[in-house]
């Protein structure tokens, strides 16, 4: 009997990348005893993402939840994860930067009471993006006493019952620009073990990642610092 696995993916204006992401995972897992389904949380795209996904759903097992208006990454991810029904749930971003073959390595390390996080090794993002992430990781480690290699990675797998424990602790995310930082911290302090598995990381096939502008960095830094302090108070109280 095949293991049912749902992969949750948020989509915003990824018409050129989403087909590759979905098809590559189905192709890789087709002979590995996995009954795969994608759950797409589409977030008010202004391009042809919805049309592309609907066309793919005629050939592949893809469930689409579409929003007419833009929410944000955090709310889109939370919504998609809340729709998962399989015993084991994975997550991957829609930009095609992760290797589907790494998911089985993560799956083999999975146990109940754990999340397996795919840490990017090496990470191919720009030096500036990596510098910002590394700097924030030091603050994150100091405030939350949690030392992870890549707490901003959007590639993970876990059991639904553990996932639900974490989702129930979210009111509204404190770190709007850093959902996964908050997600893994909440998991850790609910005694869910975070296992980090090295995974390959690629450049986006099409388009550019959104990189914070220098002019916005002071506001973002203050917002995230306050978010970390609120998260610490929430977790430790």
């Amino acid at each position: 009997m095949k293991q049912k696995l749902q992969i949750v993916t948020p989509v915003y204006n990824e018409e050129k990348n989403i087909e590759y992401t979905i098809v590559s995972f189905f192709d890789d897992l087709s002979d590995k005893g996995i009954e795969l389904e994608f759950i797409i949380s589409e977030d008010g795209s202004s391009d042809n993402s919805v049309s592309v996904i609907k066309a793919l759903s005629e050939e592949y097992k893809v469930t689409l939840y579409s929003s007419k208006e833009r929410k944000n990454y955090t709310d889109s991810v939370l919504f998609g994860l809340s729709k998962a029904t399989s015993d084991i749930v994975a997550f991957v971003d829609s930009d095609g930067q992760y290797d589907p073959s790494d998911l089985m390595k993560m799956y083999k390390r999975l146990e109940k009471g754990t999340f397996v996080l795919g840490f990017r090794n090496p990470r191919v993002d720009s030096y500036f993006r990596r510098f910002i992430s590394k700097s924030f990781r030091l603050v994150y480690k100091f405030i939350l006493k949690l030392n992870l290699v890549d707490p901003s990675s959007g590639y993970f797998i876990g059991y639904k019952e553990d996932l639900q424990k974490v989702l129930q602790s979210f009111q509204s995310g404190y770190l709007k620009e850093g959902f996964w930082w908050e997600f893994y911290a909440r998991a850790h302090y609910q005694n869910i073990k975070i296992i980090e598995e090295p995974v390959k990381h690629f450049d986006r096939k099409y388009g550019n990642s959104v990189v914070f502008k220098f002019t916005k960095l002071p506001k973002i830094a203050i917002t995230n610092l306050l978010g970390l302090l609120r998260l610490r108070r929430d977790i430790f109280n």
Side-chain angles (χ1 to χ4, degrees):
M1 184 177 179
K2 289 187 174 182
Q3 171 66 59
K4 186 175 181 180
L5 171 64
Q6 292 174 322
I7 299 179
V8 175
T9 300
V11 172
Y12 175 70
N13 286 352
E14 291 286 5
E15 64 177 356
K16 293 183 177 180
N17 289 310
I18 188 58
E19 180 173 1
Y20 169 80
T21 299
I22 290 175
V23 173
S24 64
F25 274 87
F26 273 101
D27 285 349
D28 185 81
L29 297 175
S30 63
D31 61 348
K32 298 199 169 56
I34 299 293
E35 181 186 341
L36 180 61
E37 177 184 4
F38 262 85
I39 295 178
I40 305 295
S41 178
E42 190 280 320
D43 193 21
S45 298
S46 58
D47 65 0
N48 292 317
S49 293
V50 172
S51 298
V52 172
I53 296 165
K54 285 182 177 178
L56 288 167
S57 68
E58 296 179 3
E59 184 175 355
Y60 300 96
K61 193 169 184 180
V62 176
T63 300
L64 170 63
Y65 295 95
S66 186
S67 173
K68 292 183 179 180
E69 297 181 358
R70 181 85 201 272
K71 299 186 288 293
N72 55 66
Y73 182 83
T74 290
D75 289 341
S76 181
V77 172
L78 286 172
F79 178 83
L81 291 174
S82 73
K83 295 298 181 181
T85 59
S86 58
D87 288 339
I88 297 177
V89 180
F91 181 95
V92 68
D93 282 320
S94 57
D95 51 18
Q97 290 190 272
Y98 293 102
D99 191 334
S101 66
D102 285 324
L103 187 59
M104 289 306 296
K105 293 195 304 178
M106 295 161 65
Y107 171 74
K108 289 176 181 178
R109 297 193 66 186
L110 180 65
E111 299 176 359
K112 288 189 176 181
T114 70
F115 286 150
V116 182
L117 182 170
F119 77 87
R120 293 163 284 190
N121 184 39
R123 184 173 176 178
V124 300
D125 290 328
S126 68
Y127 173 80
F128 174 66
R129 193 176 180 90
R130 286 183 283 119
F131 172 77
I132 294 297
S133 185
K134 184 176 181 179
S135 299
F136 188 66
R137 188 166 69 87
L138 294 175
V139 179
Y140 178 84
K141 178 182 177 181
F142 176 76
I143 292 177
L144 295 180
K145 311 302 180 186
L146 177 57
N147 186 22
L148 295 175
V149 176
D150 191 6
S152 62
S153 171
Y155 197 15
F156 94 98
I157 187 169
Y159 278 89
K160 180 188 172 187
E161 62 187 78
D162 295 318
L163 175 62
Q164 287 179 324
K165 293 178 186 177
V166 181
L167 295 183
Q168 287 169 2
S169 71
F170 273 87
Q171 301 298 321
S172 59
Y174 292 126
L175 301 175
K176 291 297 185 182
E177 287 86 14
F179 171 82
W180 293 108
W181 302 82
E182 179 169 350
F183 178 87
Y184 297 125
R186 288 186 180 278
H188 174 76
Y189 284 105
Q190 292 186 62
N191 297 315
I192 297 172
K193 183 179 179 181
I194 309 296
I195 298 172
E196 295 190 271
E197 173 72 24
V199 299
K200 294 179 284 295
H201 191 230
F202 309 118
D203 287 318
R204 287 169 58 94
K205 287 190 171 294
Y206 302 99
N208 297 313
S209 297
V210 177
V211 178
F212 302 136
K213 296 180 180 180
F214 283 102
T215 55
K216 294 184 177 181
L217 280 180
K219 181 179 179 181
I220 291 172
I222 293 172
T223 299
N224 281 340
L225 178 58
L226 291 174
L228 278 180
L229 293 174
R230 293 188 186 106
L231 178 58
R232 175 187 169 88
R233 182 179 59 194
D234 191 4
I235 287 175
F236 294 159
N237 288 344

